[in-house]
Amino acid sequence: MFKKTSLTLLFSAAVISINAQQSIPFRITKHNNIIVKTLVNKKDSLHLMFQIAMEDASISPDRQRKADHIIFNKDEISEKNTVQIGKFTLNNVRFFDHELTGHEADGKIGTGMFAGKTFKIDYDNNRFEIYEKEPDLKGYQKMMLLYEKGQFFINADNIIDGDKQQEAYFLLQSGYSGALLYSNDFAEEKNLDKMLKVTSEKTFKNSSGESIITKQGILPFFKLNNFVLKDVPAGFFVGKRKTQTVNYFGADMMKRFNWIFDADRQTVYIKPSKHFSEGFYKVN
């Protein structure tokens, strides 16, 4: 779905430290996407969506604001850009061109701005926090984190039928507005088309005229560590043409927790945010 997300990280930060911590404000759209206001190369004011499933940055062909001062080469890559977010400055930022992004965004920015640092996604106060040392972990639960090619995976239990738990890994995907999206393999193996209560179905045609069918079902229970969510919307594909290779833990699920990622990217700490019990986002 998203290209070029695993290339070598080329971010470095030049910031003024206040109590060994930096704070970056963001806003959350009605589609659950995180948006940060940036100034790129001291010229282009862009709203970029935070994409936890990538490291670098990108510009969308559907952007609303001009990005005239990001110069791309023949491979649609732009090196050594500067990105300012308030008082926070990133140097040597790599941008990719023509990558789709979320609603209200001109492009994406990834986890490179937290390179080598412990960072927090604070949904209670709409801000990122970057730490030089371990922050206060009171009230948080520790989880193992799988970090692979610049992407984060977590393990969770899916209660599909009765009290039987089906374990699965999920890619943290803040660009997907919904709650859960299952891979083709998981959906087929667990027979989700019959096991879940289906609430909607849509059929699309690709450029070859092939039908792509997506369904939204309701997962009775979802367990992340000791936290349990009930009646969670879960998407999956059916039919001959399927393209989903991994399970997504989407933005609607992410916002229900505050997250602290260790600098080593092997551990994450979570606790419920103020959004934990809110109604779920309806995927169109």
Side-chain angles (χ1 to χ4, degrees), residues 15-18 20-24 88 128-132:
V15 298
I16 298 175
S17 179
I18 302 176
Q21 174 182 320
Q22 294 87 44
S23 180
I24 302 173
F88 189 87
F128 299 110
E129 293 180 359
I130 305 172
Y131 303 93
E132 299 290 341

Side-chain angles (χ1 to χ4, degrees), residues 171-182:
L171 170 67
L172 297 186
Q173 175 51 279
S174 57
Y176 175 66
S177 296
L180 302 175
L181 181 63
Y182 286 111

Side-chain angles (χ1 to χ4, degrees), residues 120 131 134-140 260:
K120 177 181 181 180
Y131 303 93
E134 186 177 276
D136 182 9
L137 297 174
K138 183 178 179 180
Y140 284 83
I260 297 178

